[in-house]
Amino acid sequence: MRTVKFAHRYCLRRRRAHMMGTYIRTDFRTPGPAGRIQGASNNRDSNIMAKIAFLGLGVMGYPMAGHIAAAGHEVTVYNRTGAKAEAWVAQHGGGNGDAHAATPAAAATDADVVLSCVGDDPDVLEVALGADGAIPAMRAGAIYIDNSTVSAEVARKLAAAGAERGVGVLDAPVSGGQAGAENGKLTVMVGGAEDHFAAALPVMECYGARVVRMGEAGTGQQAKMVNQICIAGVLQGLSEGLNFAIEAGLDTDALLEAISGGAAQSWQMVNRGQTMVRNEFDFGFALDWMRKDLRICFEEAERTGATLPMTEIVAGYYDELSAAGHGRNDTSALIRRLRKS
Ligand code: NAP
């Protein structure tokens, strides 16, 4: 594992701490109260740098890891498809091509904080706990942050595996899409112990404008489920409203200008209204990912006893769109089912 950004002061402090048998990772910043919004602006000025491993350089992970490196942390990346890791190092690692690891374990061995942003439950289990998984390779005192959207059960499984070896684990799914990842303005919903949250906060603030601790392990994922349930309903409503407007022959520019200032306003209306009218659906968050997220919601609802009648209907619409070959369209493609053109 080699250095992308050399944080000299941090390295001296860490060497001294290791010699003294102590570990300084948790002195990034003073803890804040649970549940409060932490850090309205990005933490670009932290002067205590960490050794970071980032696993999964997809639409989200690639820019997120870039923001962590830009903040001055020392970043080693792992990606299953090695070419993406090489491209990342060429872009963010000074072009020396020497900061990507062959396995999650190799990336994680020496890291203070390991982050993952992969796909579904089995993918997270593979990179975190599989044969070459990160957590068994991590040292006591380090922190694992999973930014993927997966089940609360997987979050709790990782937390238990981490606890066995003194590794702190946070489930920290994100919202804000590709644009939020690229701008470093994601919302991060975090489950895990308060001291681990406080220690890892400066790293999460590199890519998160709003980082909120929800409670213990699994609660970050549960918060993300609420987010997805709300989005599904809003997008179906917006699809029906816009299609109604098109059929009625309304001027959709004037319509959106008018109603996006009123009670029907939503993030989806402001950011996707125009593109839905233009039949453009290439905005990062693939509807196949949403099908995965809603499946996770249904599993959790089954466990808690909550009912999701509207979400079940919209999930069926996403299944239809996927079966018709639109699985990589973004979630606003719900309007496709209604449009005549
Ligand atoms: P993506 O572009 O498809 O990238 C997925 C990444 O995970 C790739 O780097 C992929 O490696 C890696 N991966 C998948 N399965 C793996 C496995 N079994 N072992 C090792 N690596 C594996 O996905 P994304 O859009 O970045 O989404 C990542 C996560 O963030 C998902 O949980 C998603 O639900 C969530 N999320 C996405 C958005 C969004 O707008 N895209 C927004 C919020 C949350 P390869 O390059 O080798 O395929």
Tab-separated table of all heavy atoms in Angstrom, residues 180-201:
chain	number	residue	atom	x	y	z
A	180	GLY	N	-24.901	14.737	-6.384
A	180	GLY	CA	-24.513	14.962	-4.989
A	180	GLY	C	-23.144	14.380	-4.696
A	180	GLY	O	-22.337	14.973	-3.955
A	181	ALA	N	-22.857	13.211	-5.286
A	181	ALA	CA	-21.544	12.584	-5.083
A	181	ALA	C	-20.460	13.425	-5.758
A	181	ALA	O	-19.386	13.657	-5.193
A	181	ALA	CB	-21.547	11.160	-5.637
A	182	GLU	N	-20.744	13.892	-6.964
A	182	GLU	CA	-19.733	14.669	-7.695
A	182	GLU	C	-19.475	16.027	-7.045
A	182	GLU	O	-18.348	16.498	-7.004
A	182	GLU	CB	-20.161	14.824	-9.165
A	182	GLU	CG	-20.006	13.496	-9.910
A	182	GLU	CD	-20.608	13.484	-11.307
A	182	GLU	OE1	-21.234	14.496	-11.704
A	182	GLU	OE2	-20.466	12.443	-11.987
A	183	ASN	N	-20.524	16.622	-6.474
A	183	ASN	CA	-20.364	17.931	-5.816
A	183	ASN	C	-19.925	17.809	-4.360
A	183	ASN	O	-19.686	18.826	-3.712
A	183	ASN	CB	-21.694	18.706	-5.835
A	183	ASN	CG	-22.177	18.966	-7.242
A	183	ASN	OD1	-21.365	19.033	-8.158
A	183	ASN	ND2	-23.476	19.072	-7.426
A	184	GLY	N	-19.862	16.600	-3.842
A	184	GLY	CA	-19.520	16.417	-2.420
A	184	GLY	C	-20.600	16.941	-1.506
A	184	GLY	O	-20.327	17.432	-0.416
A	185	LYS	N	-21.855	16.808	-1.926
A	185	LYS	CA	-22.981	17.385	-1.166
A	185	LYS	C	-24.022	16.330	-0.816
A	185	LYS	O	-25.223	16.598	-0.841
A	185	LYS	CB	-23.659	18.478	-2.004
A	185	LYS	CG	-22.760	19.635	-2.375
A	185	LYS	CD	-22.794	20.696	-1.321
A	185	LYS	CE	-21.986	21.918	-1.734
A	185	LYS	NZ	-21.177	22.461	-0.688
A	186	LEU	N	-23.578	15.137	-0.530
A	186	LEU	CA	-24.531	14.071	-0.227
A	186	LEU	C	-25.141	14.240	1.163
A	186	LEU	O	-24.565	14.893	2.033
A	186	LEU	CB	-23.821	12.713	-0.304
A	186	LEU	CG	-23.391	12.270	-1.711
A	186	LEU	CD1	-22.435	11.088	-1.631
A	186	LEU	CD2	-24.616	11.926	-2.564
A	187	THR	N	-26.308	13.626	1.345
A	187	THR	CA	-26.859	13.446	2.685
A	187	THR	C	-26.441	12.043	3.136
A	187	THR	O	-26.561	11.090	2.370
A	187	THR	CB	-28.402	13.557	2.649
A	187	THR	OG1	-28.728	14.926	2.410
A	187	THR	CG2	-29.026	13.115	3.954
A	188	VAL	N	-25.945	11.943	4.351
A	188	VAL	CA	-25.456	10.652	4.855
A	188	VAL	C	-26.239	10.311	6.123
A	188	VAL	O	-26.282	11.113	7.063
A	188	VAL	CB	-23.946	10.713	5.174
A	188	VAL	CG1	-23.402	9.305	5.406
A	188	VAL	CG2	-23.171	11.407	4.056
A	189	MET	N	-26.875	9.144	6.126
A	189	MET	CA	-27.685	8.698	7.267
A	189	MET	C	-26.931	7.577	7.971
A	189	MET	O	-26.675	6.543	7.364
A	189	MET	CB	-29.035	8.172	6.755
A	189	MET	CG	-29.878	9.249	6.082
A	189	MET	SD	-30.885	8.638	4.703
A	189	MET	CE	-29.764	8.843	3.310
A	190	VAL	N	-26.591	7.793	9.219
A	190	VAL	CA	-25.588	6.922	9.833
A	190	VAL	C	-26.135	6.150	11.033
A	190	VAL	O	-26.771	6.721	11.915
A	190	VAL	CB	-24.370	7.753	10.299
A	190	VAL	CG1	-23.236	6.814	10.725
A	190	VAL	CG2	-23.899	8.699	9.192
A	191	GLY	N	-25.846	4.845	11.043
A	191	GLY	CA	-26.147	4.008	12.203
A	191	GLY	C	-24.840	3.489	12.785
A	191	GLY	O	-23.922	3.133	12.047
A	192	GLY	N	-24.762	3.464	14.108
A	192	GLY	CA	-23.543	2.955	14.757
A	192	GLY	C	-23.276	3.712	16.041
A	192	GLY	O	-23.990	4.665	16.376
A	193	ALA	N	-22.238	3.284	16.747
A	193	ALA	CA	-21.933	3.880	18.053
A	193	ALA	C	-21.543	5.348	17.914
A	193	ALA	O	-20.917	5.750	16.930
A	193	ALA	CB	-20.801	3.100	18.713
A	194	GLU	N	-21.890	6.131	18.920
A	194	GLU	CA	-21.661	7.578	18.852
A	194	GLU	C	-20.170	7.914	18.751
A	194	GLU	O	-19.785	8.834	18.022
A	194	GLU	CB	-22.289	8.243	20.076
A	194	GLU	CG	-22.377	9.743	19.915
A	194	GLU	CD	-23.243	10.405	20.972
A	194	GLU	OE1	-23.820	9.702	21.824
A	194	GLU	OE2	-23.322	11.636	20.940
A	195	ASP	N	-19.316	7.173	19.488
A	195	ASP	CA	-17.885	7.519	19.436
A	195	ASP	C	-17.290	7.176	18.072
A	195	ASP	O	-16.433	7.908	17.556
A	195	ASP	CB	-17.110	6.854	20.591
A	195	ASP	CG	-17.274	5.344	20.625
A	195	ASP	OD1	-18.268	4.823	20.060
A	195	ASP	OD2	-16.416	4.669	21.226
A	196	HIS	N	-17.774	6.112	17.445
A	196	HIS	CA	-17.288	5.783	16.099
A	196	HIS	C	-17.762	6.836	15.096
A	196	HIS	O	-17.026	7.244	14.200
A	196	HIS	CB	-17.768	4.395	15.667
A	196	HIS	CG	-17.253	3.296	16.540
A	196	HIS	ND1	-17.991	2.177	16.857
A	196	HIS	CD2	-16.073	3.167	17.201
A	196	HIS	CE1	-17.288	1.401	17.653
A	196	HIS	NE2	-16.122	1.976	17.881
A	197	PHE	N	-19.003	7.262	15.282
A	197	PHE	CA	-19.541	8.322	14.411
A	197	PHE	C	-18.701	9.592	14.534
A	197	PHE	O	-18.305	10.191	13.529
A	197	PHE	CB	-20.994	8.610	14.792
A	197	PHE	CG	-21.589	9.793	14.079
A	197	PHE	CD1	-22.044	9.677	12.775
A	197	PHE	CD2	-21.677	11.035	14.701
A	197	PHE	CE1	-22.582	10.766	12.104
A	197	PHE	CE2	-22.212	12.132	14.032
A	197	PHE	CZ	-22.667	11.995	12.735
A	198	ALA	N	-18.433	9.977	15.767
A	198	ALA	CA	-17.670	11.216	15.985
A	198	ALA	C	-16.280	11.107	15.365
A	198	ALA	O	-15.783	12.056	14.750
A	198	ALA	CB	-17.570	11.495	17.484
A	199	ALA	N	-15.657	9.937	15.509
A	199	ALA	CA	-14.309	9.763	14.976
A	199	ALA	C	-14.297	9.802	13.452
A	199	ALA	O	-13.365	10.328	12.844
A	199	ALA	CB	-13.735	8.435	15.469
A	200	ALA	N	-15.333	9.255	12.848
A	200	ALA	CA	-15.346	9.139	11.378
A	200	ALA	C	-15.979	10.352	10.703
A	200	ALA	O	-15.914	10.478	9.474
A	200	ALA	CB	-16.113	7.879	10.974
A	201	LEU	N	-16.582	11.230	11.461
A	201	LEU	CA	-17.300	12.363	10.875
A	201	LEU	C	-16.460	13.195	9.898
A	201	LEU	O	-16.933	13.527	8.805
A	201	LEU	CB	-17.865	13.242	12.001
A	201	LEU	CG	-18.677	14.462	11.569
A	201	LEU	CD1	-19.886	14.051	10.720
A	201	LEU	CD2	-19.136	15.255	12.793
